[in-house]
Amino acid sequence: MKKVLILGSGAGGTMVAAKLRKELDPLEWKITIIDDDEIHHYQPGWLFIPFGTYTAQDCMKPKRDFIPKGVDFVFDEVVGVNTDTRQVEGKKGKYNYDWLVIATGCKPVPQEIEGLEEWKPDPNSNVHTFFSLEGAVALYKR
């Protein structure tokens, strides 16, 4: 059996898994997603938390709810990829693959914006952003 291994179960990894599962014969292909976070954070929703449109809970859902049927989900943190042996090493195990998809996504990095690098989120401050779930909730409360 051939193995497709997808690193990351965000929007990209989940969409690739769904598309491949429809196209590849499950008797010939095993599809596995590895991710180190079981909760999907809908980052665009953080903008709406300060205005009361969404809550933090509205922006967080179990990733397993989005994994297509017939796709395995492994909760593990990837620590290495060996392309010579076609093996991914996680903290909990090793995973062989024939095809590897890296879909580890993106995350906000406000410290890369000049002027924000020294600023640290403080719930007691009058300065807040929606760059993190905690920051959006603090801004709503303020």
Side-chain angles (χ1 to χ4, degrees), residues 39-103:
I39 301 297
H40 173 75
H41 294 267
Y42 179 61
Q43 293 175 1
W46 296 348
L47 173 61
F48 297 97
I49 292 173
F51 303 102
T53 305
Y54 291 157
T55 66
Q57 292 73 29
D58 293 329
C59 297
M60 299 175 1
K61 304 286 184 209
K63 288 182 178 179
R64 291 179 192 271
D65 291 354
F66 303 102
I67 304 299
K69 275 188 161 187
V71 174
D72 295 330
F73 181 81
V74 174
F75 179 65
D76 198 353
E77 182 179 341
V78 173
V79 294
V81 176
N82 186 328
T83 56
D84 292 333
T85 62
R86 293 182 177 253
Q87 189 174 70
V88 168
E89 183 180 350
K91 286 189 172 181
K92 298 179 182 177
K94 294 184 179 185
Y95 312 92
N96 296 314
Y97 65 86
D98 294 295
W99 289 92
L100 179 65
V101 177
I102 300 175

Side-chain angles (χ1 to χ4, degrees), residues 3-21 24 29-35 71 78 80-81 83 86-88 95-105:
K3 297 177 183 178
V4 175
L5 188 59
I6 302 170
L7 306 183
S9 64
T14 302
M15 287 190 293
V16 167
K19 179 78 171 171
L20 290 176
R21 184 68 296 152
L24 301 176
W29 290 88
K30 179 179 180 179
I31 302 172
T32 303
I33 296 178
I34 299 177
D35 202 315
V71 174
V78 173
V81 176
T83 56
R86 293 182 177 253
Q87 189 174 70
V88 168
Y95 312 92
N96 296 314
Y97 65 86
D98 294 295
W99 289 92
L100 179 65
V101 177
I102 300 175
T104 51

